[in-house]
Amino acid sequence: MATIEYVLGDITEQEVDVIVNAANSSLLGGGGVDGAIHRKGGPEILAECRKLRAGHYGGGLKTGQAVATTAGRLRARWVVHTVGPVWSATEDRSNLLADCHRNSLRVAADLGATTIAFPAISTGIYRWPVEDAAEIAHAAVEDAPLDLIRFVLFDQATYNAFARP
Ligand code: AR6
């Protein structure tokens, strides 16, 4: 079973095999953690994303799916991009948020990764309530076939929600 860790910090600094990016379906960058990963990882990541868009992902990456690229200049070996659902008060999209975690883990395991870092997917620009997102994330990473799963939380409130016993 994987060890689960919580860190208050910046995911772009993590030395793990895979860093998960809370991307959007265009795969061409954005704000939040996506912007930080592309800025720090350099243009190689975007170049691979453009290739994905020119090939199998011509229509973009669907919500809940995950795909890998190089991590460029980051310490990680790969970035796994996934698209979280936008929060909805009227529609239950929890399964899609769980899919982001499960599919990212599957892509990571297929690459041969044993360590992975997740941000709090969908809890920023996509407005998912953080306590609920933390519960969904935890349930989805249980029984993952990796050695280490690290949640990297960018602010104290998000850290508290994820690290709560
Ligand atoms: N390290 C760790 N966590 C971070 C970092 C960082 N460097 N920067 C921000 N966060 P968000 P979303 C936290 O908005 O809600 C982008 O434009 C942030 O505080 O990055 O899934 C994409 O292109 C929050 O807790 O992702 C999409 O269009 C968490 O990461 C859209 O935003 C997620 O916030 C995706 O929105």
Side-chain angles (χ1 to χ4, degrees):
M1 229 175 55
T3 300
I4 301 188
E5 283 181 358
Y6 308 92
V7 172
L8 178 62
D10 183 341
I11 201 166
T12 66
E13 305 284 342
Q14 305 301 311
E15 203 168 338
V16 284
D17 294 333
V18 164
I19 284 176
V20 177
N21 182 18
N24 61 63
S25 66
S26 81
L27 286 176
L28 300 178
V33 71
D34 193 8
I37 286 172
H38 281 283
R39 266 195 310 280
K40 191 118 177 230
E44 255 188 281
I45 300 177
L46 187 59
E48 281 197 21
C49 286
R50 287 195 200 284
K51 278 192 203 145
L52 290 169
R53 287 301 309 272
H56 188 65
Y57 294 93
L61 186 66
K62 292 202 179 79
T63 304
Q65 291 186 346
V67 67
T69 65
T70 174
R73 298 196 287 253
L74 297 173
R75 288 186 184 151
R77 296 175 70 188
W78 301 280
V79 172
V80 169
H81 307 262
T82 188
V83 183
V86 176
W87 163 256
S88 165
T90 52
E91 188 187 19
D92 183 6
R93 299 176 180 167
S94 307
N95 275 338
L96 290 169
L97 186 54
D99 282 348
C100 286
H101 294 83
R102 288 193 285 251
N103 286 326
S104 296
L105 289 166
R106 183 182 46 74
V107 169
D110 287 350
L111 289 165
T114 59
T115 58
I116 189 168
F118 281 97
I121 300 168
S122 287
T123 67
I125 291 163
Y126 287 175
R127 304 185 318 274
W128 203 291
V130 68
E131 310 271 336
D132 194 53
E135 262 183 48
I136 293 166
H138 283 140
V141 304
E142 265 179 12
D143 308 323
L146 273 74
D147 295 338
L148 176 74
I149 297 167
R150 182 179 297 160
F151 287 101
V152 181
L153 299 322
F154 207 44
D155 59 76
Q156 189 70 51
T158 308
Y159 175 87
N160 292 348
F162 272 74
R164 204 179 46 172

